[in-house]
Amino acid sequence: MIDAILNSYYIQCLPFLFQGLVWTLIITIGGLILGFILGALVGMGRLSKNRIIRAICMVYVEIVRGTPILAQVLFIYFGLTEEVIGINIDKIIASIIAISFNAGAYIAEIVRGAIKSIEKGQHEAGRSIGLSQRQTMRYIIWPQAFKRMIPPLGNQFIISLKDTSLFSVIAVGELLYMGQQYYNLNFATFQTLIMVCVLYLCITIPTSLYLRRLERRLDV
């Protein structure tokens, strides 16, 4: 019985799939780190009093949110050729850039919404004790806003993780692509795709449970 399980395609495909899972996590985490930095800057820019900065940030958000990430990664990888920008973009780098730019637009709205949700009295309280606008944002507004960002940021992590499956179109060796390569060789389509889904769930379900626990702890 045990030998039959160990020799089944469900188990035999795992070493192959784990290679893809590593790249899936690298692309997701790397892209979201850059995406958060970009999103925080754009989100703050959308609250700027400068109309030009607000307009630029709004155009970026609307363009990215209005186009599919598949089109974005194809544009980055195939559109930004060496003739256009002077260098060839590696497919992994293209994937990280696509995740960061795509997630950055959504994170910008998360940041903007969280900051706007803080009562105006908090801003006034900071100014009343002698803090500058920047110090008020750093020490009073941002810590409170960040707590409110946690649930949607967690959702964005899960969305971006699943979005990496689209990068198989440029032959990135992420989880789904490695699964496709395995069942093309062994014709074990059903078993392989079951295990691909299981591995995705092994990441997304614990992440969701942890975020719920964190929300309760922080009283978000």
Side-chain angles (χ1 to χ4, degrees):
M1 180 66 178
I2 295 178
D3 289 340
I5 294 174
L6 293 177
N7 291 326
S8 69
Y9 285 118
Y10 292 103
I11 302 301
Q12 290 183 356
C13 71
L14 285 178
F16 212 69
L17 297 182
F18 282 141
Q19 299 177 39
L21 182 60
V22 170
W23 283 114
T24 292
L25 292 173
I26 289 174
I27 293 169
T28 303
I29 295 172
L32 284 178
I33 290 174
L34 296 175
F36 181 78
I37 296 171
L38 178 61
L41 294 174
V42 173
M44 296 289 290
R46 293 210 62 188
L47 297 172
S48 173
K49 296 179 180 179
N50 188 306
R51 291 184 179 181
I52 296 177
I53 293 177
R54 285 204 313 271
I56 292 173
C57 293
M58 183 182 69
V59 168
Y60 159 71
V61 169
E62 294 303 322
I63 289 176
V64 173
R65 294 201 306 173
T67 55
I69 190 172
L70 182 58
Q72 294 164 15
V73 74
L74 288 174
F75 175 79
I76 293 169
Y77 188 62
F78 292 114
L80 300 180
T81 60
E82 186 174 6
E83 290 77 12
V84 176
I85 62 174
I87 58 172
N88 282 320
I89 300 179
D90 179 77
K91 57 189 176 183
I92 298 296
I93 300 300
S95 300
I96 293 175
I97 293 173
I99 287 289
S100 62
F101 270 84
N102 185 270
Y106 292 93
I107 292 173
E109 292 300 283
I110 293 171
V111 171
R112 184 178 70 90
I115 292 175
K116 288 190 70 174
S117 71
I118 304 300
E119 297 77 8
K120 291 184 179 180
Q122 299 289 325
H123 294 269
E124 296 169 358
R127 302 305 293 272
S128 68
I129 61 175
L131 297 179
S132 66
Q133 184 174 356
R134 180 175 297 181
Q135 289 173 325
T136 300
M137 178 62 68
R138 178 180 178 182
Y139 296 111
I140 298 178
I141 305 302
W142 186 260
Q144 297 180 69
F146 185 74
K147 289 174 61 176
R148 301 183 184 185
M149 296 177 203
I150 291 175
L153 286 176
N155 290 333
Q156 184 60 50
F157 170 80
I158 293 173
I159 291 170
S160 295
L161 178 76
K162 294 185 294 183
D163 281 346
T164 59
S165 63
L166 298 173
F167 299 156
S168 60
V169 72
I170 59 172
V172 173
E174 45 74 47
L175 179 55
L176 181 60
Y177 179 81
M178 296 301 286
Q180 291 172 329
Q181 297 303 302
Y182 184 83
Y183 69 64
N184 284 339
L185 293 173
N186 297 280
F187 305 102
T189 306
F190 178 81
Q191 299 93 325
T192 304
L193 290 178
I194 285 289
M195 297 312 296
V196 167
C197 292
V198 167
L199 289 178
Y200 275 119
L201 291 172
C202 285
I203 303 298
T204 57
I205 291 177
T207 300
S208 297
L209 294 175
Y210 174 75
L211 288 169
R212 291 175 189 172
R213 181 179 179 184
L214 188 60
E215 288 175 38
R216 291 193 296 268
R217 181 182 300 176
L218 297 176
D219 193 26
V220 176

Short mmCIF file of all heavy atoms in Angstrom, two decimals, residues 3-4 12 19 33 36 98 100 106 116 129 169 172 174 191 207-208:
data_model
loop_
_atom_site.label_atom_id
_atom_site.label_comp_id
_atom_site.label_asym_id
_atom_site.label_seq_id
_atom_site.Cartn_x
_atom_site.Cartn_y
_atom_site.Cartn_z
N ASP A 3 4.04 1.43 -0.77
CA ASP A 3 4.83 1.47 -2.00
C ASP A 3 4.00 2.02 -3.16
O ASP A 3 4.50 2.77 -4.00
CB ASP A 3 5.34 0.08 -2.35
CG ASP A 3 6.43 -0.38 -1.40
OD1 ASP A 3 7.04 0.50 -0.75
OD2 ASP A 3 6.66 -1.60 -1.30
N ALA A 4 2.72 1.63 -3.20
CA ALA A 4 1.85 2.11 -4.27
C ALA A 4 1.67 3.61 -4.20
O ALA A 4 1.64 4.31 -5.22
CB ALA A 4 0.49 1.40 -4.18
N GLN A 12 5.36 11.34 -7.08
CA GLN A 12 6.52 11.46 -7.96
C GLN A 12 6.65 12.85 -8.59
O GLN A 12 7.75 13.29 -8.91
CB GLN A 12 6.45 10.40 -9.06
CG GLN A 12 6.67 8.99 -8.56
CD GLN A 12 6.67 7.96 -9.67
OE1 GLN A 12 6.42 8.29 -10.83
NE2 GLN A 12 6.95 6.70 -9.32
N GLN A 19 10.27 22.72 -7.29
CA GLN A 19 11.14 23.67 -8.00
C GLN A 19 10.34 24.88 -8.47
O GLN A 19 10.78 26.02 -8.35
CB GLN A 19 11.80 22.98 -9.19
CG GLN A 19 12.69 21.81 -8.85
CD GLN A 19 13.25 21.13 -10.10
OE1 GLN A 19 13.62 21.79 -11.07
NE2 GLN A 19 13.31 19.82 -10.09
N ILE A 33 7.29 43.19 -2.34
CA ILE A 33 8.14 44.14 -1.61
C ILE A 33 8.31 45.42 -2.42
O ILE A 33 8.12 46.53 -1.92
CB ILE A 33 9.51 43.50 -1.30
CG1 ILE A 33 9.35 42.40 -0.24
CG2 ILE A 33 10.49 44.57 -0.79
CD1 ILE A 33 10.62 41.61 0.03
N PHE A 36 4.93 47.21 -2.71
CA PHE A 36 4.51 47.97 -1.53
C PHE A 36 5.21 49.33 -1.49
O PHE A 36 4.60 50.35 -1.16
CB PHE A 36 4.81 47.20 -0.25
CG PHE A 36 4.39 47.93 0.99
CD1 PHE A 36 3.06 47.96 1.38
CD2 PHE A 36 5.31 48.63 1.77
CE1 PHE A 36 2.66 48.65 2.52
CE2 PHE A 36 4.92 49.31 2.90
CZ PHE A 36 3.59 49.33 3.28
N ALA A 98 6.39 42.85 -13.35
CA ALA A 98 4.94 42.82 -13.61
C ALA A 98 4.15 42.74 -12.32
O ALA A 98 3.15 43.45 -12.15
CB ALA A 98 4.61 41.63 -14.52
N SER A 100 5.17 43.71 -9.32
CA SER A 100 5.36 44.94 -8.54
C SER A 100 4.52 46.08 -9.10
O SER A 100 3.88 46.82 -8.34
CB SER A 100 6.84 45.32 -8.49
OG SER A 100 7.35 45.58 -9.79
N TYR A 106 -2.80 48.56 -6.91
CA TYR A 106 -3.82 48.19 -5.94
C TYR A 106 -3.41 48.58 -4.52
O TYR A 106 -4.23 49.02 -3.71
CB TYR A 106 -4.11 46.69 -6.03
CG TYR A 106 -4.79 46.30 -7.32
CD1 TYR A 106 -4.04 45.87 -8.41
CD2 TYR A 106 -6.17 46.38 -7.46
CE1 TYR A 106 -4.64 45.53 -9.61
CE2 TYR A 106 -6.78 46.04 -8.66
CZ TYR A 106 -6.01 45.61 -9.72
OH TYR A 106 -6.62 45.28 -10.91
N LYS A 116 -6.87 57.95 4.53
CA LYS A 116 -8.07 58.80 4.55
C LYS A 116 -9.05 58.36 5.63
O LYS A 116 -9.89 59.15 6.07
CB LYS A 116 -8.76 58.78 3.18
CG LYS A 116 -8.00 59.55 2.10
CD LYS A 116 -8.83 59.71 0.86
CE LYS A 116 -9.99 60.67 1.09
NZ LYS A 116 -10.73 60.95 -0.17
N ILE A 129 0.65 69.53 19.02
CA ILE A 129 1.77 69.27 19.95
C ILE A 129 3.12 69.62 19.31
O ILE A 129 4.17 69.23 19.81
CB ILE A 129 1.77 67.80 20.41
CG1 ILE A 129 1.93 66.84 19.22
CG2 ILE A 129 0.51 67.48 21.20
CD1 ILE A 129 2.05 65.38 19.63
N VAL A 169 3.14 31.75 -19.65
CA VAL A 169 3.07 32.15 -21.05
C VAL A 169 4.43 32.62 -21.57
O VAL A 169 4.68 32.57 -22.78
CB VAL A 169 2.00 33.27 -21.23
CG1 VAL A 169 2.48 34.59 -20.65
CG2 VAL A 169 1.61 33.44 -22.70
N VAL A 172 8.18 31.02 -17.65
CA VAL A 172 8.77 31.14 -16.32
C VAL A 172 8.53 29.83 -15.59
O VAL A 172 7.40 29.31 -15.59
CB VAL A 172 8.15 32.32 -15.54
CG1 VAL A 172 8.64 32.32 -14.10
CG2 VAL A 172 8.49 33.62 -16.23
N GLU A 174 7.54 28.67 -12.94
CA GLU A 174 6.77 28.71 -11.69
C GLU A 174 5.97 27.42 -11.53
O GLU A 174 6.09 26.50 -12.34
CB GLU A 174 5.88 29.96 -11.64
CG GLU A 174 5.11 30.28 -12.90
CD GLU A 174 3.95 29.35 -13.12
OE1 GLU A 174 3.19 29.11 -12.15
OE2 GLU A 174 3.78 28.85 -14.23
N GLN A 191 -3.49 13.85 -11.93
CA GLN A 191 -2.73 13.78 -10.68
C GLN A 191 -1.84 15.01 -10.48
O GLN A 191 -1.73 15.54 -9.38
CB GLN A 191 -1.86 12.52 -10.67
CG GLN A 191 -2.64 11.22 -10.74
CD GLN A 191 -2.81 10.71 -12.15
OE1 GLN A 191 -2.97 11.50 -13.09
NE2 GLN A 191 -2.78 9.38 -12.33
N THR A 207 -1.89 31.32 5.09
CA THR A 207 -1.78 32.78 5.04
C THR A 207 -3.07 33.44 5.48
O THR A 207 -3.07 34.38 6.28
CB THR A 207 -1.42 33.24 3.61
OG1 THR A 207 -0.17 32.68 3.23
CG2 THR A 207 -1.32 34.77 3.55
N SER A 208 -4.19 32.94 4.99
CA SER A 208 -5.50 33.50 5.37
C SER A 208 -5.76 33.33 6.86
O SER A 208 -6.24 34.26 7.52
CB SER A 208 -6.61 32.81 4.56
OG SER A 208 -6.47 33.06 3.19
#
